[in-house]
Structures are given as C-alpha cells and as structure tokens.
Amino acid sequence: MQLKIKKPAPVEKNVFWSPSRVSRAEREKRNKHRGCIIWLTGLSGSGKSTIARELERILFTQGHRVMVLDGDNVRQGINADLGFSQEDRAENIRRIGEVSKLFAENGMITISAFISPYTRDRDRVRGIVREGDFIEAYIKCSLEECERRDTKGLYEKAKAGIIKNFTGISDPYEPPGNPEIVVPTDKQTVAESVQTVIEYLERHNYLRCRQRNKHLTLKQ
Ligand code: ADX
C-alpha cells in the first residue's frame, strides 16, 4: 500500500529542482538489478547490523551495487546532532529516509538499519518513495533475548538508569503491523536470517532485472 505523504515545503522558496540526464531505468539496466531500500527495524541487539553487514557482503560478492546505512554510524556523522527523544528519532529517520531514497533512486540496493521504533516515522519513509522501493524487514527478537545478548552493555546501563530513553526499557518500540519480511533472529542462525531476506528479494525480482521487468519500463 502506497501512503500519500504531503512533502514538507522547503523553508526557502527560491529553490528549483534540477533533473538528472541519466534515468533510473538506465542505471538499473546497467546494474542488472533494481534500486530499493531494505529497511531493517528492531530492538537494539536484535541483529540488524549483523544481518545488514552479512547481506551487504553477499550481495556485493554476487555483483550487486549495495551499501549499508547504520544507526550507530550515521549518528557519528550526518546525525551527530541528534539524541534519542521522540523528536530527534523522528528527525534521524526523516533524514536517513531521504538519503536512502536518493541512493535507491540512483540504483543502489540500500540497506538501512535503524531501530526506528515509531510506526509513523517508518511509514513516512515508505510514503516518500515509489511503491515497491521500501521493503520493511522486521528483525524480530524478544526483549529477553536482546537483554541476554547485550552486546554493547547498553541494556545493563539502561536498567541501572545510566542511559535514559532506552528502547525496550524506558522508551517504546512499535513493531511493524504489516512488514514485507519478518526475520526471527532468536529462532534462526545469522545465515538463515540473511537467506530469509535474499529469498524475498529473489521472489520479488529485485535482484535480476529482466528486459520486460515492469519497473524498468516505468515512466521516469
Ligand atoms: S533510532 O531509534 O533513532 O532509530 P538508531 O538506530 O539511530 O536509533 O540508533 C540506535 C543505536 O544507538 C543503538 O544500537 C545503540 O547502540 C545506541 N543508543 C544509545 N542510546 C540509545 C537509546 N537511548 N535508545 C536506543 N539506542 C541507543
């Protein structure tokens, strides 16, 4: 389902869109696959980054154009000014949604790994891209298992009150209602989880563009 999202009007009125002379279809034809966003959402420690990196490695080795945007990384650069309030998380996802859109429209398989705890923020990203470009993958892992893993020691700090607004402990996580993919990482090995995503991509023709692929003939 494509949501209709009203684009926020830019503050500055005197800006003009500059169209590219290279179409998306041309890029995808050269890449031999379509651009898309694989949006990994889930609790901290659920396995988003692990799956993202493994998936990136496999798709790259297969010859695809692929890259990862990861919460912990972008928060050290483009989003270094943002914290973890509801407003800051919304802005984090808004900016990364726009960046992911740019990459996908330029033919990249873009793997975006963010807790993205709020349904509204994820739906907003879905709403700004073309239908089929946004693949929501729910990295599903029980809170108990994430706490048990506690790879970064953050759950311990959150429970001790040292870290505030920590997702799952002192801040909410809204699971997706109707994700394209569910990846139960507390019931699968990493390899099985990655395979779950790859199977979805193959089944829905994301990886191999055929000449008659509907997407390639869409008007740009
Ligand atoms: S999001 O909620 O805005 O989507 P994002 O994915 O960018 O979060 O960043 C999450 C990462 O920041 C976590 O994996 C963790 O390492 C770190 N982090 C630090 N403080 C918090 C917090 N209060 N809640 C969640 N993650 C936090």
Side-chain angles (χ1 to χ4, degrees):
M1 184 197 48
Q2 183 74 345
L3 299 153
K4 284 276 163 284
I5 299 288
K6 212 168 152 248
K7 253 188 156 181
V11 176
E12 176 55 66
K13 298 284 174 277
N14 300 313
V15 287
F16 303 89
W17 189 261
S18 155
S20 175
R21 293 195 56 225
V22 183
S23 74
R24 176 167 175 173
E26 284 175 282
R27 292 182 200 276
E28 294 187 335
K29 195 170 170 190
R30 178 177 288 179
N31 294 345
K32 298 190 180 65
H33 63 78
R34 60 174 288 187
C36 63
I37 303 167
I38 306 167
W39 191 277
L40 309 183
T41 172
L43 292 170
S44 179
S46 58
K48 298 182 298 299
S49 302
T50 306
I51 293 171
R53 294 300 172 194
E54 214 34 49
L55 188 59
E56 178 186 39
R57 184 66 246 175
I58 291 172
L59 294 177
F60 180 83
T61 303
Q62 289 175 347
H64 299 100
R65 298 195 68 223
V66 59
M67 60 166 292
V68 170
L69 293 166
D70 185 279
D72 277 286
N73 291 6
V74 303
R75 281 177 172 280
Q76 295 180 48
I78 185 174
N79 288 351
D81 58 326
L82 300 176
F84 289 92
S85 66
Q86 190 169 344
E87 296 70 37
D88 279 9
R89 290 186 201 250
E91 178 60 10
N92 183 35
I93 300 312
R94 188 192 72 78
R95 287 184 201 169
I96 293 310
E98 293 286 351
V99 172
S100 303
K101 177 183 173 178
L102 287 174
F103 281 118
E105 286 183 346
N106 284 285
M108 278 271 184
I109 297 174
T110 312
I111 305 168
S112 302
F114 294 83
I115 297 179
S116 41
Y118 296 106
T119 304
R120 194 194 49 195
D121 298 338
R122 297 189 303 263
D123 283 353
R124 197 175 292 144
V125 181
R126 188 189 287 277
I128 62 167
V129 298
R130 195 183 288 180
E131 191 157 9
D133 277 5
F134 185 83
I135 304 163
E136 190 172 34
Y138 176 26
I139 310 304
K140 189 170 182 230
C141 184
S142 70
L143 179 62
E144 295 69 41
E145 175 60 14
C146 293
E147 286 181 57
R148 195 194 60 75
R149 293 178 186 169
D150 203 7
T151 34
K152 302 171 195 161
L154 297 178
Y155 281 97
E156 204 183 317
K157 287 188 186 155
K159 282 188 279 186
I162 300 165
I163 303 177
K164 311 280 179 219
N165 304 330
F166 194 78
T167 310
I169 302 296
S170 41
D171 227 47
Y173 177 78
E174 300 170 356
N178 198 15
E180 276 74 13
I181 315 173
V182 178
V183 188
T185 61
D186 48 6
K187 297 189 175 68
Q188 292 181 329
T189 62
V190 173
E192 285 167 342
S193 292
V194 171
Q195 197 50 34
T196 303
V197 180
I198 291 179
E199 272 166 19
Y200 180 91
L201 298 175
E202 283 174 345
R203 208 162 356 103
H204 292 84
N205 290 325
Y206 281 94
L207 297 185
R208 221 157 271 110
C209 272
R210 307 191 184 106
Q211 277 308 327
R212 287 172 60 77
N213 186 326
K214 182 172 125 241
H215 185 72
L216 282 180
T217 55
L218 274 177
K219 206 165 159 264
Q220 293 299 300

